[in-house]
Amino acid sequence: MREIILIKNGELVLKGLNRNTFEDILIKNMRKALKEVGEFTFTKSQSTIMVQSVEEDTDLDEAVDILKKVFGIAALSRAAVAEKDMDNIMAISREYLADEILEAKTFKVEAKRSDKKFPLKSPEISRELGGFLLSKFNHLKVDVHNPDVTVTVEIRDNYAFIRGNNIKGAGGMPVGTSGRAAVLISGGIDSPVAAYMMAKRGVELVAVHFASPPFTTELAEKKVMELLKRVAKYSGAITTYVVPFTEIQQEIRKNCPEEYFTIIMRRYMMKISEILAEHQNCSALITGESLGQVASQTMYALACTDAATSLPVFRPCIGMDKDEIIRISRKIDTFETSILPYEDCCTVFTPKHPKTRAKLVDVEAAESSMKSEELIEKAVENARRSVVK
Ligand code: ATP
Ligand code: MG
């Protein structure tokens, strides 16, 4: 039996972006995501994209699992491809959907007919197939309002497609339809969630991580790479910079009042990320900050951080409680990695009494004796780049 995957794309209101561009980028992303599974062809047809494997023995379970993480897909389904003949459609429906129907108590049949030459009209197809399935599965009842299984038959020009329930897709917009942004990624819970959320809005990701050896270890860096790998299942490959940050932190400690350590450090992160972002054609920065979560995330502190860069800073977690952020991190499978106990450069240098009501003029005065340009230039020069996928 021939099988295909049908894709319903999301975002019905495509402001500023036409459907063609949206679909072309979506297809490119699906093709990349499925590369390891096999070769596929993609055909746009009406409001559906049909995904067909070229080889016979391709693992479609795996393909569906991967496609469930591709943004821009509202729903997907597997369908059997049948010759357009009612007897054949009934026989294939019975065989192909047996497992799903056996688990259900109620069902309905929905027929769609784009080939108007087909001898039966849609309600007639539904009636005939419905009656047939009821006669073959004794436990089954019809429920047109809230069925456990909806059997859908689409009569198209060349074939009929037969499918059971839709599978929910990842939603959002195809990555690459909203430009590029650089996410400041730590080993914590919040920044991978922030990265995921912006990728869901169609943003292609670049990542920047600040490491402070020997205070932070290689294991901490591995953890960040593992987190990015998990995010990349949704976002696609992520160009990643690891920036040496020890010297800057030591200079801050030497030259600045302790209560400003965190804010000043954050400002350096912004300045360096902005330069790397520009190298990578990114138009924004992303952080995992959430209002009030810690002293460096008060409105005053965030204003001082923002002032260090001219790029917009996206903070998708800003209005979320920790438990809401954790729920997403579990869903995207980053939580267990995030809570592994490796040190972050921020935790190594946390001041005892951080300034919560910091004013920009005071922060600027506090950092004024630093040799900023030199330090930033050196950090950018020594940043290591790799691609995580
Ligand atoms: P997270 O769970 O993402 O680590 P957090 O609640 O621990 O967040 P902070 O440690 O204060 O918060 O960091 C706030 C944000 O600053 C992070 O979400 C991240 O975007 C950025 N950040 C912190 N540490 C680093 C780092 N070592 N490298 C890159 N970005 C960082
Ligand atoms: Mg952190």
Side-chain angles (χ1 to χ4, degrees):
M1 189 188 310
R2 247 180 71 207
E3 253 191 299
I4 61 167
I5 301 171
L6 301 173
I7 304 291
K8 294 269 175 215
N9 48 34
E11 294 285 327
L12 290 176
V13 195
L14 294 171
K15 286 184 194 147
L17 186 79
N18 69 40
R19 178 167 290 278
N20 247 334
T21 315
F22 186 100
E23 286 177 338
D24 288 346
I25 295 178
L26 177 57
I27 288 172
K28 192 180 87 194
N29 293 348
M30 289 196 281
R31 198 189 299 279
K32 262 194 224 154
L34 290 175
K35 217 160 141 195
E36 308 279 285
V37 188
E39 198 186 324
F40 291 82
T41 61
F42 299 83
T43 319
K44 299 188 227 173
S45 162
Q46 287 135 29
S47 60
T48 308
I49 298 169
M50 299 186 289
V51 183
Q52 259 168 293
S53 68
V54 173
E55 312 279 327
E56 294 247 321
D57 57 350
T58 304
D59 184 348
L60 286 193
D61 284 336
E62 198 188 344
V64 166
D65 269 348
I66 288 173
L67 292 177
K68 276 200 279 195
K69 296 192 167 114
V70 174
F71 291 128
I73 297 176
L76 61 160
S77 56
R78 283 170 76 152
V81 182
E83 297 296 331
K84 292 195 304 184
D85 155 290
M86 221 32 225
D87 285 338
N88 186 51
I89 288 172
M90 291 193 292
I92 288 190
S93 300
R94 177 188 181 183
E95 182 194 338
Y96 183 63
L97 299 175
D99 289 349
E100 217 173 324
I101 290 177
L102 285 170
E103 276 180 23
K105 293 196 179 73
T106 58
F107 86 120
K108 76 169 174 185
V109 177
E110 250 181 38
K112 295 177 187 167
R113 194 178 65 136
S114 54
D115 169 18
K116 300 295 176 201
K117 288 197 230 85
F118 192 73
L120 301 185
K121 296 210 172 71
S122 299
E124 294 164 347
I125 301 170
S126 299
R127 216 173 308 132
E128 191 157 334
L129 178 58
F132 172 78
L133 292 174
L134 279 174
S135 75
K136 298 297 173 197
F137 296 93
N138 290 326
H139 72 290
L140 210 54
K141 288 200 170 58
V142 175
D143 180 346
V144 290
H145 300 296
N146 195 17
D148 296 334
V149 178
T150 302
V151 174
T152 305
V153 182
E154 284 185 59
I155 310 289
R156 298 208 167 212
D157 289 343
N158 299 319
Y159 296 99
F161 294 153
I162 298 161
R163 60 189 159 89
N165 284 340
N166 275 334
I167 305 160
K168 201 170 173 334
M173 311 261 290
V175 169
T177 56
S178 300
R180 280 159 79 84
V183 58
L184 281 73
I185 188 102
S186 67
I189 296 169
D190 308 334
S191 45
V193 169
Y196 160 85
M197 287 175 76
M198 294 318 299
K200 184 170 184 182
R201 294 313 301 157
V203 174
E204 198 176 326
L205 299 176
V206 167
V208 184
H209 174 67
F210 295 89
S212 304
F215 305 103
T216 62
T217 61
E218 211 169 293
L219 279 177
E221 197 179 312
K222 276 219 177 95
K223 174 185 173 184
V224 170
M225 295 301 169
E226 179 58 35
L227 287 170
L228 286 172
K229 218 164 135 184
R230 285 160 193 248
V231 173
K233 292 216 164 81
Y234 295 89
S235 67
I238 304 172
T239 298
T240 301
Y241 291 93
V242 176
V243 182
F245 207 47
T246 320
E247 190 180 356
I248 290 180
Q249 285 188 307
Q250 280 165 338
E251 287 300 305
I252 294 174
R253 201 201 285 238
K254 229 190 281 166
N255 294 293
C256 311
E258 181 179 335
E259 56 186 353
Y260 290 108
F261 277 5
T262 310
I263 291 184
I264 293 173
M265 189 174 76
R266 209 51 99 224
R267 282 165 58 79
Y268 273 93
M269 286 186 179
M270 290 290 167
K271 289 176 191 167
I272 292 167
S273 300
E274 177 177 280
I275 295 170
L276 296 172
E278 271 156 13
H279 289 178
Q280 287 289 324
N281 282 323
C282 294
S283 329
L285 302 177
I286 302 166
T287 76
E289 287 157 316
S290 159
L291 190 65
Q293 201 186 75
V294 289
S296 60
Q297 297 177 26
T298 63
M299 252 191 236
Y300 310 92
L302 294 176
C304 296
T305 312
D306 274 355
T309 172
S310 58
L311 290 177
V313 183
F314 295 148
R315 299 181 170 96
C317 299
I318 196 74
M320 293 166 75
D321 292 345
K322 196 75 188 187
D323 60 325
E324 292 173 296
I325 301 172
I326 288 175
R327 204 176 317 136
I328 299 177
S329 78
R330 285 191 194 280
K331 186 178 89 178
I332 64 173
D333 206 18
T334 53
F335 183 73
E336 297 300 329
T337 307
S338 287
I339 59 174
L340 293 174
Y342 300 118
E343 62 299 311
D344 182 60
C345 67
C346 299
T347 42
V348 177
F349 289 84
T350 307
K352 279 190 223 62
H353 303 290
K355 196 89 179 161
T356 49
R357 286 193 168 241
K359 287 205 202 96
L360 185 57
V361 278
D362 298 333
V363 175
E364 282 171 347
E367 66 189 17
S368 59
S369 62
M370 298 268 298
K371 290 202 175 73
S372 253
E373 265 170 44
E374 236 169 76
L375 288 166
I376 291 173
E377 202 174 301
K378 196 165 158 198
V380 167
E381 220 163 77
N382 292 317
R384 271 178 292 122
R385 191 176 70 184
S386 61
V387 177
V388 180
K389 50 184 159 194

